[in-house]
Amino acid sequence: MSFDPASLTYNDAGLIPAIAQDATNGDVLMMAWMNADAVARTLETGRVTYWSRSRQAFWIKGETSGHTQKLVEMRIDCDRDCLLVLIEQVGSACHTNRRSCFYTALRDGAEVEIMKPEAK
Amino acid sequence: MSFDPASLTYNDAGLIPAIAQDATNGDVLMMAWMNADAVARTLETGRVTYWSRSRQAFWIKGETSGHTQKLVEMRIDCDRDCLLVLIEQVGSACHTNRRSCFYTALRDGAEVEIMKPEAK
């Protein structure tokens, strides 16, 4: 039976969180949101496509920056209300030009930057 | 300067998504939600504590199942609206007794179970 994006559970805004994980080394790179159409587009095109809550528009990752995400595999959690997308990330996933958005760690009660922006 | 959980960005329900990643092998195990108090409790106790949206109560992971999550490190994303918790997972993170909640993959357009429940 083929997969239907409508079978997932979306929040009141029609969105589902999608965690992007580097398929090569397992690093968690970012979390963003998809609606059912974004899920379908991601699967159809193989290019990870989110829904931008601020712009209220599809967000084909890397369309302007060139920092694309190629879908390797999409996974669904037990409650069907969260997605894990394994990807091949070109360049940096974060808009700060860092490889991952999770570049701040809490160590000894303080925030520590653990990742520098990549060279342009 | 010490970290203040109130400095994070929470949604309208006062919650922030927290992605739990196995600190040992990098597997993404689950995603659940925390409020500011759950963030503080997790940091104070070293035991990952979520906020259960269904029960509207603190959810000290593993308190009843024994499948605890020991905090190794908490990380914050660039928008301060998502957390990554690196953990030591005892047993299975998923209520289905699978190691990870993300045990369903989409392959060739169909859902495939890629992980079996663990032996009890």
Side-chain angles (χ1 to χ4, degrees):
Chain A
M1 198 186 74
S2 70
F3 169 73
D4 180 0
S7 69
L8 299 174
T9 298
Y10 300 88
N11 68 11
D12 290 344
L15 301 175
I16 186 169
I19 303 160
Q21 184 179 30
D22 189 319
T24 306
N25 63 14
D27 284 352
V28 174
L29 301 180
M30 59 181 283
M31 193 280 270
W33 298 79
M34 295 185 182
N35 59 14
D37 282 345
V39 172
R41 288 182 181 213
T42 297
L43 292 169
E44 284 163 18
T45 64
R47 288 191 59 177
V48 179
T49 302
Y50 302 100
W51 179 257
S52 167
R53 295 176 299 171
S54 55
R55 292 189 292 109
Q56 288 287 303
F58 290 109
W59 169 24
I60 304 171
K61 180 69 182 165
E63 196 175 32
T64 53
S65 67
H67 295 162
T68 54
Q69 294 183 340
K70 181 183 172 189
L71 181 68
V72 175
E73 185 166 276
M74 185 181 286
R75 295 183 186 166
I76 306 165
D77 84 339
C78 52
D79 293 330
R80 303 182 73 82
D81 64 359
C82 188
L83 297 173
L84 177 67
V85 286
L86 303 179
I87 61 166
E88 290 177 14
Q89 173 72 53
V90 174
S92 50
C94 185
H95 73 287
T96 65
N97 209 38
R98 291 175 176 85
R99 179 76 179 170
S100 166
C101 293
F102 296 95
Y103 58 82
T104 303
L106 294 178
R107 293 181 180 169
D108 297 326
E111 297 187 23
V112 179
E113 182 185 328
I114 58 172
M115 206 177 300
K116 294 289 178 192
E118 306 205 320
K120 300 242 179 176
Chain B
M1 198 185 77
S2 71
F3 169 72
D4 180 0
S7 69
L8 300 174
T9 298
Y10 300 88
N11 68 11
D12 290 346
L15 301 175
I16 187 170
I19 302 161
Q21 183 178 30
D22 189 319
T24 307
N25 63 14
D27 284 353
V28 175
L29 300 181
M30 60 181 283
M31 193 281 271
W33 298 79
M34 293 184 182
N35 58 15
D37 282 345
V39 172
R41 288 183 181 213
T42 297
L43 292 169
E44 285 164 17
T45 65
R47 288 191 58 176
V48 179
T49 302
Y50 302 101
W51 178 259
S52 169
R53 295 176 299 171
S54 56
R55 292 189 290 108
Q56 289 288 303
F58 289 109
W59 168 25
I60 303 171
K61 181 68 180 165
E63 195 175 32
T64 53
S65 67
H67 296 163
T68 54
Q69 295 182 341
K70 180 183 172 191
L71 182 68
V72 174
E73 185 166 278
M74 185 180 288
R75 296 183 186 167
I76 306 166
D77 84 340
C78 52
D79 293 330
R80 304 182 72 83
D81 65 358
C82 187
L83 298 173
L84 177 66
V85 285
L86 303 180
I87 60 164
E88 290 176 13
Q89 174 71 52
V90 173
S92 49
C94 185
H95 73 287
T96 66
N97 210 37
R98 291 174 177 86
R99 179 77 180 167
S100 167
C101 293
F102 296 95
Y103 58 82
T104 303
L106 294 177
R107 293 180 180 170
D108 298 327
E111 297 186 21
V112 179
E113 182 185 329
I114 59 172
M115 205 177 301
K116 294 288 178 193
E118 306 205 320
K120 302 237 181 183

